[in-house]
Amino acid sequence: QVQLVESGGGLVQAGGSLRLSCAASGSSINAMGWYRQAPGKQRALVAHITRGGITNYADSMKGRFTISGDNAKNTVYLQMNSLKPEDTAVYYCNLVATDLHNYWGQGTQVTVSS
C-alpha cells in the first residue's frame, strides 16, 4: 500500500534548474530522499532528509541541489540548480519507513542538454 509519486522531471539546458517532487502515502515516514541512476551506472544517493529536517547530500550535488520536506503533506522536494549534462539520469524517490524498510518510486527522467 506504500506509494511514492514523483513529478517534475524533464528536459533542461545546462545551467538550468528543475524541482522534483515526491508525494508519499501508505507509510509512516522516518526519512525520504532522492537517488539517481544514469545509463550504464549504478543507482547513487543524491540527498535525503529526516522527518526532523536533518539533510545529507552526496558531495557532487552539495551546493547545487537542495532537499526539503513538508511533513504535513508527506512530500519531499529536490531543487536542482546549475544542472550539468552529467546530471542526466532517472531520479528515484526513496522512503525510509519507521520500521526502517525502504520503498522506491518509479522514477522520473531528468535530461540536461549541453
Side-chain angles (χ1 to χ4, degrees):
Q1 65 178 14
V2 176
Q3 186 175 14
L4 301 172
V5 180
E6 302 109 325
S7 62
L11 175 65
V12 64
Q13 289 190 333
S17 298
L18 288 171
R19 189 180 76 153
L20 306 183
S21 299
C22 177
S25 62
S27 180
S28 298
I29 301 169
N30 187 55
M32 294 182 69
W34 292 93
Y35 289 69
R36 70 185 186 185
Q37 187 168 21
K41 303 186 72 175
Q42 294 185 332
R43 190 173 300 186
L45 172 73
V46 176
H48 75 268
I49 184 169
T50 69
R51 178 170 288 275
I54 305 301
T55 60
N56 187 56
Y57 298 88
D59 287 343
S60 62
M61 293 79 171
K62 194 170 186 177
R64 297 190 298 123
F65 294 3
T66 302
I67 191 168
S68 61
D70 185 333
N71 287 337
K73 296 181 178 180
N74 288 340
T75 299
V76 66
Y77 306 93
L78 183 69
Q79 179 67 47
M80 304 187 293
N81 298 325
S82 301
L83 284 163
K84 305 174 182 179
E86 50 263 45
D87 294 319
T88 296
V90 177
Y91 285 70
Y92 294 92
C93 182
N94 170 253
L95 183 153
V96 182
T98 53
D99 64 1
L100 303 184
H101 277 78
N102 284 328
Y103 300 91
W104 297 94
Q106 73 277 19
T108 184
Q109 177 71 47
V110 171
T111 302
V112 184
S113 62
S114 60

